[in-house]
Amino acid sequence: VHEWSRFPDLPSGFTLGIKRDDLTHSTLTGNKIRKLEFILAAALDAGCDAVITAGSLQTNHGRATAVAARELGLEPYLVLRSRPSDVEDKDSLADRGGNLLVDMMIGAGIVLAPYGSQKDFLMPRMEKLARDLAASGKKAHIIPVGGSDSLGLWGYMCAFHELVTQGVREDYDDIVHACGSGGTASGLAIANYLSGSPLKIHSICVSDDAEYFYSHVDEALETLHLRDKVCARDILDVVEGYKHQGYGVANEDVDHLLLSISRQTGVILDSVYTGKAVYGLVDLMKKQPGRFKGRRVLYIHTGGMFSMYGQGMEKRIKAASTGQTVAWDDHSSESWTETPVIP
């Protein structure tokens, strides 16, 4: 945890810190490793040979699960939402780069499934795959989208304890993070509540909507037998309005901000999760400052680096980097003709 120095155009009156959960591991990078610590321990305890999970084609969670599974000697299988064009191009998925490239390098078994909800489309396919593996003598552990279940919940409950040991209760008033499946939101909100609610937790939606995430947190509270004492809306502020054109769809304003942040602070954000969340954070500071408990805000960087490489970011960076690269044609110093333009 440290001050997010040189953050561009931070609204007056606010201070901003950052928790670098994007630095948790090179290929497991991001918030998923905290959840997988508990989920994969359960899989090993149950004597499983394989794990099955699901997500989008460029799922960060799927990539992290596949890497962690291989490190532990488990076979990884990924059920990925896809379009007909993806199915036609299924033998060239590695060419998409990003998380898919890592998935293919790791040797994950990939099942391309139609777009649809976890309940109606993804879970039935994961369950069928588990039955097929069982028929061949392999026991599989099914992990929901994002690792957001009663086991994964403990990842960010423990992360909150870590934040407490780092002085966050004394140094900050609010915590903000990107919310994609609800597991991080549940862990932070419930741990904060059990600690006496010293902070206010804000979860900025990059998929689904507030009602979905409040329902998810209420289910977690029910699992922990806390639902009769508190509800999700009492302990969590779910923020809508920053998915923009939709989950996984790039936005020009977000891209402009994340490029500015990377060039002024050295912190890399992606256009699917963290970029949209930080855009929302800044917008809230400007337009709804009363939504915050105080003015000392901590942003939790939950990772997503690999997804950046599979979302067309290369083209958008190229458009914003004219003159940044020049050629020095020979070894003679006299051949120097122009200086690179630093944005």
Side-chain angles (χ1 to χ4, degrees):
V1 174
H2 59 79
E3 178 186 359
W4 200 342
S5 302
R6 298 175 304 283
F7 190 94
D9 301 319
L10 183 68
S12 177
F14 283 93
T15 60
L16 183 61
I18 184 169
K19 168 70 171 174
R20 299 296 303 270
D21 264 13
D22 58 318
L23 303 180
T24 49
H25 189 290
S26 59
T27 48
L28 273 169
T29 174
N31 58 338
K32 307 307 180 185
I33 188 173
R34 292 188 183 273
K35 305 175 188 181
L36 289 169
E37 178 181 0
F38 293 89
I39 294 170
L40 295 182
L44 291 172
D45 285 346
C48 291
D49 309 290
V51 292
I52 305 170
T53 195
S56 65
L57 205 61
Q58 285 286 357
T59 167
N60 289 299
H61 163 69
R63 176 259 310 152
T65 300
V67 172
R70 285 301 192 192
E71 288 187 1
L72 296 171
L74 299 169
E75 293 183 357
Y77 294 87
L78 308 177
V79 179
L80 306 181
R81 294 185 180 104
S82 60
R83 297 180 175 86
S85 58
D86 300 321
V87 176
E88 294 173 5
D89 197 34
K90 63 181 176 64
D91 294 327
S92 302
L93 288 180
D95 295 341
R96 305 287 186 89
N99 289 304
L100 275 172
L101 176 60
V102 179
D103 297 339
M104 300 301 288
M105 289 182 68
I106 287 293
I110 295 176
V111 177
L112 299 180
Y115 263 82
S117 68
Q118 176 170 237
K119 178 181 178 182
D120 298 326
F121 283 82
L122 299 180
M123 188 56 72
R125 285 167 171 79
M126 288 194 284
E127 291 171 346
K128 174 63 166 60
L129 179 54
R131 291 194 296 271
D132 290 348
L133 289 171
S136 65
K138 296 178 181 179
K139 184 177 181 180
H141 182 85
I142 295 176
I143 305 171
V145 171
S148 297
D149 61 7
S150 58
L151 288 170
L153 170 69
W154 291 95
Y156 267 85
M157 290 186 71
C158 290
F160 187 85
H161 173 72
E162 180 178 300
L163 291 171
V164 169
T165 65
Q166 293 175 319
V168 168
R169 279 198 300 192
E170 293 76 28
D171 297 337
Y172 295 93
D173 307 301
D174 299 78
I175 290 177
V176 179
H177 70 99
C179 188
S181 61
T184 299
S186 297
L188 290 173
I190 293 173
N192 184 52
Y193 165 71
L194 293 174
S195 300
S197 300
L199 301 156
K200 186 173 182 180
I201 311 298
H202 309 268
S203 303
I204 299 182
C205 297
V206 299
S207 67
D208 295 297
D209 55 26
E211 191 58 41
Y212 173 86
F213 290 116
Y214 282 131
S215 177
H216 182 86
V217 176
D218 277 334
E219 290 177 7
L221 287 166
E222 187 71 39
T223 299
L224 297 175
H225 305 289
L226 294 171
R227 186 64 182 83
D228 60 333
K229 297 180 176 65
V230 70
C231 70
R233 293 178 184 274
D234 296 330
I235 62 174
L236 180 65
D237 176 30
V238 179
V239 182
E240 295 181 313
Y242 298 103
K243 282 191 300 184
H244 298 287
Q245 293 92 332
Y247 171 73
V249 181
N251 175 272
E252 185 176 348
D253 292 335
V254 171
D255 287 350
H256 177 78
L257 177 63
L258 67 85
L259 281 171
S260 178
I261 289 171
S262 65
R263 289 169 173 178
Q264 295 192 45
T265 74
V267 175
I268 305 297
L269 305 173
D270 75 285
S271 59
V272 179
Y273 296 96
T274 55
K276 289 184 176 181
V278 172
Y279 181 90
L281 165 60
V282 174
D283 199 52
L284 286 178
M285 287 176 168
K286 293 176 180 177
K287 299 176 180 177
Q288 300 183 55
R291 196 158 182 166
F292 295 90
K293 181 178 181 179
R295 293 293 180 267
R296 304 174 301 167
V297 180
L298 177 69
Y299 177 72
I300 299 182
H301 191 324
T302 47
M305 174 71 75
F306 287 97
S307 66
M308 180 181 69
Y309 296 104
Q311 300 292 337
M313 180 59 76
E314 299 90 344
K315 295 179 182 178
R316 299 193 289 278
I317 291 177
K318 180 180 179 181
S321 304
T322 302
Q324 192 174 334
T325 304
V326 300
W328 194 335
D329 296 330
D330 59 39
H331 298 290
S332 171
S333 61
E334 286 75 21
S335 69
W336 182 272
T337 59
E338 58 181 328
T339 301
V341 178
I342 301 298

